[in-house]
PDB file of all heavy atoms in Angstrom:
ATOM      1  N   ALA A1532      -0.306  10.711  26.002  1.00 98.00           N
ATOM      2  CA  ALA A1532      -1.054  11.975  26.272  1.00 98.00           C
ATOM      3  C   ALA A1532      -0.440  13.171  25.639  1.00 98.00           C
ATOM      4  O   ALA A1532      -1.097  14.205  25.471  1.00 98.00           O
ATOM      5  CB  ALA A1532      -1.163  12.158  27.772  1.00 98.00           C
ATOM      6  N   SER A1533       0.906  13.143  25.355  1.00 98.00           N
ATOM      7  CA  SER A1533       1.620  14.264  24.671  1.00 98.00           C
ATOM      8  C   SER A1533       2.899  13.716  24.103  1.00 98.00           C
ATOM      9  O   SER A1533       3.314  12.591  24.436  1.00 98.00           O
ATOM     10  CB  SER A1533       1.895  15.319  25.774  1.00 98.00           C
ATOM     11  OG  SER A1533       2.862  14.844  26.662  1.00 98.00           O
ATOM     12  N   GLY A1534       3.520  14.545  23.321  1.00 98.00           N
ATOM     13  CA  GLY A1534       4.834  14.183  22.780  1.00 98.00           C
ATOM     14  C   GLY A1534       5.817  13.897  23.912  1.00 98.00           C
ATOM     15  O   GLY A1534       6.602  12.954  23.891  1.00 98.00           O
ATOM     16  N   LEU A1535       5.808  14.771  24.915  1.00 98.00           N
ATOM     17  CA  LEU A1535       6.701  14.576  26.013  1.00 98.00           C
ATOM     18  C   LEU A1535       6.436  13.335  26.820  1.00 98.00           C
ATOM     19  O   LEU A1535       7.351  12.670  27.326  1.00 98.00           O
ATOM     20  CB  LEU A1535       6.678  15.825  26.951  1.00 98.00           C
ATOM     21  CG  LEU A1535       7.441  17.011  26.311  1.00 98.00           C
ATOM     22  CD1 LEU A1535       7.251  18.293  27.111  1.00 98.00           C
ATOM     23  CD2 LEU A1535       8.954  16.693  26.239  1.00 98.00           C
ATOM     24  N   ALA A1536       5.160  12.902  26.896  1.00 98.00           N
ATOM     25  CA  ALA A1536       4.858  11.643  27.610  1.00 98.00           C
ATOM     26  C   ALA A1536       5.434  10.485  26.839  1.00 98.00           C
ATOM     27  O   ALA A1536       5.916   9.494  27.399  1.00 98.00           O
ATOM     28  CB  ALA A1536       3.310  11.467  27.761  1.00 98.00           C
ATOM     29  N   ALA A1537       5.486  10.599  25.491  1.00 98.00           N
ATOM     30  CA  ALA A1537       6.056   9.561  24.657  1.00 98.00           C
ATOM     31  C   ALA A1537       7.543   9.483  24.879  1.00 98.00           C
ATOM     32  O   ALA A1537       8.176   8.429  24.990  1.00 98.00           O
ATOM     33  CB  ALA A1537       5.728   9.843  23.194  1.00 98.00           C
ATOM     34  N   ILE A1538       8.215  10.673  24.990  1.00 98.00           N
ATOM     35  CA  ILE A1538       9.647  10.719  25.224  1.00 98.00           C
ATOM     36  C   ILE A1538       9.946  10.144  26.599  1.00 98.00           C
ATOM     37  O   ILE A1538      10.938   9.392  26.813  1.00 98.00           O
ATOM     38  CB  ILE A1538      10.189  12.175  25.107  1.00 98.00           C
ATOM     39  CG1 ILE A1538       9.902  12.753  23.663  1.00 98.00           C
ATOM     40  CG2 ILE A1538      11.685  12.261  25.398  1.00 98.00           C
ATOM     41  CD1 ILE A1538      10.162  14.222  23.544  1.00 98.00           C
ATOM     42  N   LEU A1557      17.963  20.853  20.402  1.00 88.00           N
ATOM     43  CA  LEU A1557      16.852  19.977  20.700  1.00 88.00           C
ATOM     44  C   LEU A1557      15.644  20.793  21.003  1.00 88.00           C
ATOM     45  O   LEU A1557      15.748  21.891  21.489  1.00 88.00           O
ATOM     46  CB  LEU A1557      17.295  19.193  21.891  1.00 88.00           C
ATOM     47  CG  LEU A1557      16.639  17.881  22.256  1.00 88.00           C
ATOM     48  CD1 LEU A1557      16.766  16.887  21.137  1.00 88.00           C
ATOM     49  CD2 LEU A1557      17.324  17.311  23.482  1.00 88.00           C
ATOM     50  N   TYR A1558      14.465  20.228  20.757  1.00 89.00           N
ATOM     51  CA  TYR A1558      13.187  20.842  21.227  1.00 89.00           C
ATOM     52  C   TYR A1558      13.322  21.168  22.721  1.00 89.00           C
ATOM     53  O   TYR A1558      13.790  20.332  23.473  1.00 89.00           O
ATOM     54  CB  TYR A1558      12.009  19.931  20.981  1.00 89.00           C
ATOM     55  CG  TYR A1558      10.709  20.396  21.533  1.00 89.00           C
ATOM     56  CD1 TYR A1558      10.036  21.481  20.926  1.00 89.00           C
ATOM     57  CD2 TYR A1558      10.189  19.877  22.691  1.00 89.00           C
ATOM     58  CE1 TYR A1558       8.875  21.960  21.451  1.00 89.00           C
ATOM     59  CE2 TYR A1558       8.954  20.304  23.210  1.00 89.00           C
ATOM     60  CZ  TYR A1558       8.340  21.350  22.599  1.00 89.00           C
ATOM     61  OH  TYR A1558       7.170  21.825  23.076  1.00 89.00           O
ATOM     62  N   GLY A1560      11.435  21.464  25.331  1.00 91.00           N
ATOM     63  CA  GLY A1560      10.768  20.605  26.297  1.00 91.00           C
ATOM     64  C   GLY A1560      11.497  19.256  26.450  1.00 91.00           C
ATOM     65  O   GLY A1560      11.517  18.711  27.606  1.00 91.00           O
ATOM     66  N   THR A1561      12.093  18.747  25.372  1.00 94.00           N
ATOM     67  CA  THR A1561      12.819  17.487  25.474  1.00 94.00           C
ATOM     68  C   THR A1561      14.091  17.746  26.362  1.00 94.00           C
ATOM     69  O   THR A1561      14.408  16.936  27.144  1.00 94.00           O
ATOM     70  CB  THR A1561      13.236  17.044  24.068  1.00 94.00           C
ATOM     71  OG1 THR A1561      12.035  17.061  23.239  1.00 94.00           O
ATOM     72  CG2 THR A1561      13.807  15.660  24.092  1.00 94.00           C
ATOM     73  N   TRP A1599      19.666   9.902  20.677  1.00 98.00           N
ATOM     74  CA  TRP A1599      18.427  10.654  20.405  1.00 98.00           C
ATOM     75  C   TRP A1599      18.693  11.684  19.328  1.00 98.00           C
ATOM     76  O   TRP A1599      19.476  12.582  19.483  1.00 98.00           O
ATOM     77  CB  TRP A1599      17.951  11.413  21.674  1.00 98.00           C
ATOM     78  CG  TRP A1599      16.620  11.975  21.522  1.00 98.00           C
ATOM     79  CD1 TRP A1599      16.247  13.150  20.951  1.00 98.00           C
ATOM     80  CD2 TRP A1599      15.361  11.354  21.861  1.00 98.00           C
ATOM     81  NE1 TRP A1599      14.938  13.345  20.910  1.00 98.00           N
ATOM     82  CE2 TRP A1599      14.298  12.252  21.484  1.00 98.00           C
ATOM     83  CE3 TRP A1599      15.017  10.137  22.435  1.00 98.00           C
ATOM     84  CZ2 TRP A1599      12.979  11.924  21.670  1.00 98.00           C
ATOM     85  CZ3 TRP A1599      13.656   9.863  22.629  1.00 98.00           C
ATOM     86  CH2 TRP A1599      12.668  10.723  22.249  1.00 98.00           C
ATOM     87  N   GLU A1601      17.012  14.500  16.581  1.00 97.00           N
ATOM     88  CA  GLU A1601      15.924  15.309  16.096  1.00 97.00           C
ATOM     89  C   GLU A1601      16.352  15.940  14.810  1.00 97.00           C
ATOM     90  O   GLU A1601      17.369  16.623  14.804  1.00 97.00           O
ATOM     91  CB  GLU A1601      15.580  16.386  17.146  1.00 97.00           C
ATOM     92  CG  GLU A1601      14.306  17.145  16.926  1.00 97.00           C
ATOM     93  CD  GLU A1601      14.042  18.196  18.043  1.00 97.00           C
ATOM     94  OE1 GLU A1601      14.123  17.841  19.204  1.00 97.00           O
ATOM     95  OE2 GLU A1601      13.725  19.319  17.650  1.00 97.00           O
ATOM     96  N   PRO A1603      14.487  17.653  10.917  1.00 97.00           N
ATOM     97  CA  PRO A1603      15.187  18.873  11.056  1.00 97.00           C
ATOM     98  C   PRO A1603      15.118  19.451  12.437  1.00 97.00           C
ATOM     99  O   PRO A1603      14.173  19.201  13.151  1.00 97.00           O
ATOM    100  CB  PRO A1603      14.525  19.810  10.060  1.00 97.00           C
ATOM    101  CG  PRO A1603      13.671  18.937   9.164  1.00 97.00           C
ATOM    102  CD  PRO A1603      13.365  17.727   9.979  1.00 97.00           C
ATOM    103  N   ASN A1605      15.075  22.546  15.395  1.00 88.00           N
ATOM    104  CA  ASN A1605      14.246  23.684  15.668  1.00 88.00           C
ATOM    105  C   ASN A1605      15.051  24.745  16.450  1.00 88.00           C
ATOM    106  O   ASN A1605      15.590  24.429  17.476  1.00 88.00           O
ATOM    107  CB  ASN A1605      13.083  23.195  16.587  1.00 88.00           C
ATOM    108  CG  ASN A1605      12.181  24.311  17.033  1.00 88.00           C
ATOM    109  OD1 ASN A1605      12.110  25.359  16.418  1.00 88.00           O
ATOM    110  ND2 ASN A1605      11.530  24.073  18.148  1.00 88.00           N
ATOM    111  N   ASP A1630      13.128  11.772  16.701  1.00 98.00           N
ATOM    112  CA  ASP A1630      11.954  12.603  16.800  1.00 98.00           C
ATOM    113  C   ASP A1630      11.585  13.102  15.384  1.00 98.00           C
ATOM    114  O   ASP A1630      12.270  13.905  14.776  1.00 98.00           O
ATOM    115  CB  ASP A1630      12.260  13.786  17.755  1.00 98.00           C
ATOM    116  CG  ASP A1630      11.076  14.724  17.969  1.00 98.00           C
ATOM    117  OD1 ASP A1630      10.175  14.724  17.109  1.00 98.00           O
ATOM    118  OD2 ASP A1630      11.089  15.411  19.014  1.00 98.00           O
ATOM    119  N   ASN A1631      10.512  12.536  14.872  1.00 98.00           N
ATOM    120  CA  ASN A1631      10.118  12.801  13.469  1.00 98.00           C
ATOM    121  C   ASN A1631       8.969  13.809  13.373  1.00 98.00           C
ATOM    122  O   ASN A1631       8.284  13.885  12.337  1.00 98.00           O
ATOM    123  CB  ASN A1631       9.682  11.493  12.798  1.00 98.00           C
ATOM    124  CG  ASN A1631       9.853  11.489  11.329  1.00 98.00           C
ATOM    125  OD1 ASN A1631      10.717  12.189  10.795  1.00 98.00           O
ATOM    126  ND2 ASN A1631       9.053  10.654  10.598  1.00 98.00           N
ATOM    127  N   THR A1632       8.844  14.662  14.397  1.00 98.00           N
ATOM    128  CA  THR A1632       7.705  15.591  14.466  1.00 98.00           C
ATOM    129  C   THR A1632       7.687  16.566  13.285  1.00 98.00           C
ATOM    130  O   THR A1632       6.704  16.814  12.623  1.00 98.00           O
ATOM    131  CB  THR A1632       7.735  16.377  15.789  1.00 98.00           C
ATOM    132  OG1 THR A1632       7.648  15.448  16.865  1.00 98.00           O
ATOM    133  CG2 THR A1632       6.612  17.371  15.901  1.00 98.00           C
ATOM    134  N   PHE A1633       8.876  17.179  13.004  1.00 97.00           N
ATOM    135  CA  PHE A1633       8.932  18.238  11.976  1.00 97.00           C
ATOM    136  C   PHE A1633       8.750  17.644  10.570  1.00 97.00           C
ATOM    137  O   PHE A1633       8.032  18.261   9.770  1.00 97.00           O
ATOM    138  CB  PHE A1633      10.324  18.925  12.029  1.00 97.00           C
ATOM    139  CG  PHE A1633      10.352  20.141  12.842  1.00 97.00           C
ATOM    140  CD1 PHE A1633       9.655  20.179  14.082  1.00 97.00           C
ATOM    141  CD2 PHE A1633      11.007  21.315  12.482  1.00 97.00           C
ATOM    142  CE1 PHE A1633       9.675  21.346  14.850  1.00 97.00           C
ATOM    143  CE2 PHE A1633      11.018  22.472  13.236  1.00 97.00           C
ATOM    144  CZ  PHE A1633      10.345  22.454  14.455  1.00 97.00           C
ATOM    145  N   MET A1650       9.619   8.766  17.194  1.00 98.00           N
ATOM    146  CA  MET A1650       8.769   9.504  18.195  1.00 98.00           C
ATOM    147  C   MET A1650       8.066  10.654  17.481  1.00 98.00           C
ATOM    148  O   MET A1650       8.640  11.287  16.568  1.00 98.00           O
ATOM    149  CB  MET A1650       9.683   9.950  19.312  1.00 98.00           C
ATOM    150  CG  MET A1650       9.005  10.820  20.349  1.00 98.00           C
ATOM    151  SD  MET A1650       9.305  12.562  20.004  1.00 98.00           S
ATOM    152  CE  MET A1650       7.801  13.307  20.553  1.00 98.00           C
ATOM    153  N   HIS A1651       6.813  10.927  17.861  1.00 98.00           N
ATOM    154  CA  HIS A1651       6.043  12.024  17.322  1.00 98.00           C
ATOM    155  C   HIS A1651       5.386  12.864  18.407  1.00 98.00           C
ATOM    156  O   HIS A1651       4.814  12.297  19.292  1.00 98.00           O
ATOM    157  CB  HIS A1651       4.944  11.555  16.404  1.00 98.00           C
ATOM    158  CG  HIS A1651       5.364  11.245  15.030  1.00 98.00           C
ATOM    159  ND1 HIS A1651       5.599  12.270  14.131  1.00 98.00           N
ATOM    160  CD2 HIS A1651       5.728  10.105  14.408  1.00 98.00           C
ATOM    161  CE1 HIS A1651       6.046  11.773  13.019  1.00 98.00           C
ATOM    162  NE2 HIS A1651       6.122  10.466  13.147  1.00 98.00           N
ATOM    163  N   SER A1652       5.418  14.148  18.202  1.00 98.00           N
ATOM    164  CA  SER A1652       4.413  14.981  18.879  1.00 98.00           C
ATOM    165  C   SER A1652       3.299  15.062  17.839  1.00 98.00           C
ATOM    166  O   SER A1652       3.331  15.793  16.885  1.00 98.00           O
ATOM    167  CB  SER A1652       4.988  16.394  19.213  1.00 98.00           C
ATOM    168  OG  SER A1652       3.882  17.255  19.591  1.00 98.00           O
ATOM    169  N   ALA A1653       2.240  14.271  18.085  1.00 98.00           N
ATOM    170  CA  ALA A1653       1.097  14.270  17.159  1.00 98.00           C
ATOM    171  C   ALA A1653       0.269  15.552  17.271  1.00 98.00           C
ATOM    172  O   ALA A1653      -0.601  15.791  16.455  1.00 98.00           O
ATOM    173  CB  ALA A1653       0.200  13.030  17.428  1.00 98.00           C
ATOM    174  N   THR A1654       0.625  16.363  18.281  1.00 98.00           N
ATOM    175  CA  THR A1654       0.075  17.638  18.486  1.00 98.00           C
ATOM    176  C   THR A1654       0.249  18.515  17.214  1.00 98.00           C
ATOM    177  O   THR A1654      -0.548  19.440  16.931  1.00 98.00           O
ATOM    178  CB  THR A1654       0.796  18.364  19.632  1.00 98.00           C
ATOM    179  OG1 THR A1654       0.922  17.466  20.720  1.00 98.00           O
ATOM    180  CG2 THR A1654       0.146  19.620  20.031  1.00 98.00           C
ATOM    181  N   LYS A1655       1.277  18.225  16.463  1.00 98.00           N
ATOM    182  CA  LYS A1655       1.725  19.088  15.363  1.00 98.00           C
ATOM    183  C   LYS A1655       1.119  18.636  14.045  1.00 98.00           C
ATOM    184  O   LYS A1655      -0.070  18.651  13.868  1.00 98.00           O
ATOM    185  CB  LYS A1655       3.260  19.134  15.291  1.00 98.00           C
ATOM    186  CG  LYS A1655       3.962  19.324  16.701  1.00 98.00           C
ATOM    187  CD  LYS A1655       3.640  20.679  17.326  1.00 98.00           C
ATOM    188  CE  LYS A1655       4.052  20.752  18.797  1.00 98.00           C
ATOM    189  NZ  LYS A1655       5.418  20.337  19.157  1.00 98.00           N
ATOM    190  N   LEU A1663      -5.512  19.389  19.502  1.00 97.00           N
ATOM    191  CA  LEU A1663      -5.236  18.340  20.452  1.00 97.00           C
ATOM    192  C   LEU A1663      -3.741  18.312  20.834  1.00 97.00           C
ATOM    193  O   LEU A1663      -2.900  18.905  20.152  1.00 97.00           O
ATOM    194  CB  LEU A1663      -5.622  16.935  19.935  1.00 97.00           C
ATOM    195  CG  LEU A1663      -5.001  16.451  18.645  1.00 97.00           C
ATOM    196  CD1 LEU A1663      -3.682  15.697  18.906  1.00 97.00           C
ATOM    197  CD2 LEU A1663      -5.937  15.508  17.941  1.00 97.00           C
ATOM    198  N   VAL A1664      -3.459  17.680  21.986  1.00 98.00           N
ATOM    199  CA  VAL A1664      -2.041  17.417  22.414  1.00 98.00           C
ATOM    200  C   VAL A1664      -1.880  15.943  22.552  1.00 98.00           C
ATOM    201  O   VAL A1664      -2.685  15.295  23.204  1.00 98.00           O
ATOM    202  CB  VAL A1664      -1.787  18.113  23.774  1.00 98.00           C
ATOM    203  CG1 VAL A1664      -0.380  17.781  24.289  1.00 98.00           C
ATOM    204  CG2 VAL A1664      -1.911  19.667  23.644  1.00 98.00           C
ATOM    205  N   MET A1665      -0.890  15.396  21.852  1.00 98.00           N
ATOM    206  CA  MET A1665      -0.738  13.924  21.826  1.00 98.00           C
ATOM    207  C   MET A1665       0.630  13.502  21.363  1.00 98.00           C
ATOM    208  O   MET A1665       1.307  14.249  20.628  1.00 98.00           O
ATOM    209  CB  MET A1665      -1.804  13.336  20.860  1.00 98.00           C
ATOM    210  CG  MET A1665      -1.815  11.802  20.875  1.00 98.00           C
ATOM    211  SD  MET A1665      -2.963  11.189  19.657  1.00 98.00           S
ATOM    212  CE  MET A1665      -4.484  11.558  20.467  1.00 98.00           C
ATOM    213  N   GLY A1666       1.054  12.330  21.819  1.00 98.00           N
ATOM    214  CA  GLY A1666       2.341  11.785  21.333  1.00 98.00           C
ATOM    215  C   GLY A1666       2.265  10.373  20.880  1.00 98.00           C
ATOM    216  O   GLY A1666       1.254   9.703  21.200  1.00 98.00           O
ATOM    217  N   SER A1784       3.900  26.505  19.017  1.00 92.00           N
ATOM    218  CA  SER A1784       3.445  25.288  18.287  1.00 92.00           C
ATOM    219  C   SER A1784       3.605  25.517  16.755  1.00 92.00           C
ATOM    220  O   SER A1784       4.067  26.520  16.260  1.00 92.00           O
ATOM    221  CB  SER A1784       2.033  24.943  18.652  1.00 92.00           C
ATOM    222  OG  SER A1784       1.756  23.569  18.284  1.00 92.00           O
ATOM    223  N   LEU A1785       3.167  24.463  16.023  1.00 96.00           N
ATOM    224  CA  LEU A1785       3.432  24.371  14.600  1.00 96.00           C
ATOM    225  C   LEU A1785       2.603  23.258  14.015  1.00 96.00           C
ATOM    226  O   LEU A1785       2.000  22.455  14.758  1.00 96.00           O
ATOM    227  CB  LEU A1785       4.953  24.096  14.368  1.00 96.00           C
ATOM    228  CG  LEU A1785       5.504  22.771  14.976  1.00 96.00           C
ATOM    229  CD1 LEU A1785       5.790  21.758  13.941  1.00 96.00           C
ATOM    230  CD2 LEU A1785       6.760  23.082  15.790  1.00 96.00           C
ATOM    231  N   ARG A1819      10.617  32.420  13.387  1.00 97.00           N
ATOM    232  CA  ARG A1819      10.302  31.074  12.909  1.00 97.00           C
ATOM    233  C   ARG A1819       8.850  31.023  12.363  1.00 97.00           C
ATOM    234  O   ARG A1819       7.942  31.537  12.995  1.00 97.00           O
ATOM    235  CB  ARG A1819      10.439  30.013  14.036  1.00 97.00           C
ATOM    236  CG  ARG A1819      10.276  28.615  13.477  1.00 97.00           C
ATOM    237  CD  ARG A1819      10.207  27.611  14.613  1.00 97.00           C
ATOM    238  NE  ARG A1819       8.838  27.540  15.103  1.00 97.00           N
ATOM    239  CZ  ARG A1819       8.404  26.691  16.063  1.00 97.00           C
ATOM    240  NH1 ARG A1819       9.288  25.865  16.633  1.00 97.00           N
ATOM    241  NH2 ARG A1819       7.193  26.682  16.524  1.00 97.00           N
TER     242      ARG A1819
HETATM  243  C1  PLP B2479       6.098  19.916  20.341  1.00 89.10           C
HETATM  244  C2  PLP B2479       7.293  19.016  20.231  1.00 89.10           C
HETATM  245  C3  PLP B2479       7.578  18.053  21.149  1.00 89.10           C
HETATM  246  C4  PLP B2479       6.724  17.912  22.410  1.00 89.10           C
HETATM  247  O1  PLP B2479       5.449  17.446  22.132  1.00 89.10           O
HETATM  248  P1  PLP B2479       4.155  17.854  22.997  1.00 89.10           P
HETATM  249  O2  PLP B2479       3.060  17.200  22.279  1.00 89.10           O
HETATM  250  O3  PLP B2479       4.062  19.327  23.054  1.00 89.10           O
HETATM  251  O4  PLP B2479       4.356  17.280  24.425  1.00 89.10           O
HETATM  252  C5  PLP B2479       8.673  17.297  20.982  1.00 89.10           C
HETATM  253  N1  PLP B2479       9.435  17.387  19.911  1.00 89.10           N
HETATM  254  C6  PLP B2479       9.267  18.309  18.939  1.00 89.10           C
HETATM  255  C7  PLP B2479      10.140  18.412  17.797  1.00 89.10           C
HETATM  256  C8  PLP B2479       8.153  19.142  19.100  1.00 89.10           C
HETATM  257  O5  PLP B2479       7.922  20.104  18.131  1.00 89.10           O
END
Side-chain angles (χ1 to χ4, degrees):
S1533 68
L1535 283 170
I1538 302 171
L1557 200 56
Y1558 175 74
T1561 310
W1599 188 277
E1601 190 179 312
N1605 174 24
D1630 182 337
N1631 205 26
T1632 301
F1633 266 41
M1650 176 261 148
H1651 276 282
S1652 168
T1654 313
K1655 317 292 168 52
L1663 58 87
V1664 175
M1665 186 184 285
S1784 199
L1785 60 109
R1819 188 190 79 176

